[in-house]
Every structure is written in C-alpha cells, then in structure tokens.
Amino acid sequence: MKAVVVFRIDRRSGVATYLQIVRQVEQALRMGALVAGDRLPTAAQVAADTKVNPNTTLKAYRELERGGLAEVRQGAGTFITRSLAPAQEGPDSPLRSSLVQWLDEARTQGLSGQEVTALFRSAHAAVYPPDAEG
C-alpha cells in the first residue's frame, strides 16, 4: 500500500500530538492529497514512523471520526469519508499546479525544504496575519 500521508510531529510546537495528526489529515484533505476512500496508516504504522504512542493516533482518528472525516471499519482500518478540498482546488487545480511549479523553481534555485518552508511561512504571515485567523 502506498503511503498516502506521512505524519510529521513537532514535539516543540506546544500543540498536542493528536491535534497535530488531526490537522495534518485535514490539510491533506484540503490539498486533495487525501480523498474519500483512502485508508489512513494504522496506529502501529504511525507509532513506528513517528515514535508516537499508538493510543495518541487512535485518539486523533476518533476525533476525525467525530468530525465526519473518517470512519473506522472493524478489521479493515480507518478510511477517509469526505474531502475538504473545494472542487477547484483538487489535485489538478490551477492553483495547486502553480504551487508545484513554484516549488520546482525553488528547488532549481537551490533552496532546501527548510528554506522553502521558512519562505512560505513568512509570506503566509504577511497575507494571513495571525491575529486575523479565526
């Protein structure tokens, strides 16, 4: 099975680990990286990849289930039930294509992943000031 989502846990962020998992799934849904029917990694897989207690992942998956984004199918796993991506923002959307093109250019210019992330965060903060988020 291909890895549909790879969780990155930032232990210094101050955000609860289970919420980081929930937010990463939500972001993948918004970006179209996850779609209805996709299977999430098992709690054991997440634990092996991130060194997070499997119960933390299960808590995150229960939260996703409560939000109507995932469902647990006994013996089969946890599956995405709906997308958060607007129709025009799917995997082949012009906006996503522009972003991928920009990322390719950044790589060509020699920027590392960390440098691209820092640049994105700076630009994001300028366009979406933290005090304006709701």
Side-chain angles (χ1 to χ4, degrees):
M1 176 187 135
K2 75 175 178 95
V4 177
V5 64
V6 177
F7 296 111
R8 306 252 185 258
I9 304 303
D10 181 356
R11 287 162 177 37
R12 296 169 289 149
S13 73
V15 176
T17 303
Y18 86 95
L19 277 178
Q20 290 184 50
I21 293 170
V22 169
R23 289 177 182 169
Q24 288 175 46
V25 169
E26 290 171 342
Q27 182 63 19
L29 288 167
R30 280 191 288 280
M31 295 298 296
L34 282 174
V35 296
D38 283 344
R39 183 175 172 267
L40 292 172
T42 66
Q45 288 170 320
V46 175
D49 293 343
T50 63
K51 309 298 185 246
V52 168
N53 187 306
N55 289 327
T56 300
T57 303
L58 294 173
K59 181 176 181 178
Y61 287 4
R62 282 192 302 274
E63 186 71 21
L64 291 165
E65 192 172 27
R66 265 194 297 280
L69 299 175
E71 72 176 352
V72 176
R73 298 179 194 160
Q74 250 351 78
T78 303
F79 293 83
I80 296 299
T81 55
R82 69 181 177 91
S83 174
L84 292 176
Q88 73 275 19
E89 300 296 323
D92 297 323
S93 76
L95 188 57
R96 186 175 193 284
S97 295
S98 294
L99 179 58
V100 168
Q101 185 177 9
W102 182 86
L103 289 167
D104 284 340
E105 178 63 21
R107 178 181 287 169
T108 300
Q109 295 293 324
L111 271 69
S112 70
Q114 287 180 328
E115 290 168 326
V116 167
T117 299
L119 181 57
F120 172 81
R121 286 184 175 153
S122 172
H124 183 274
V127 175
Y128 297 99
D131 57 343
E133 303 238 350

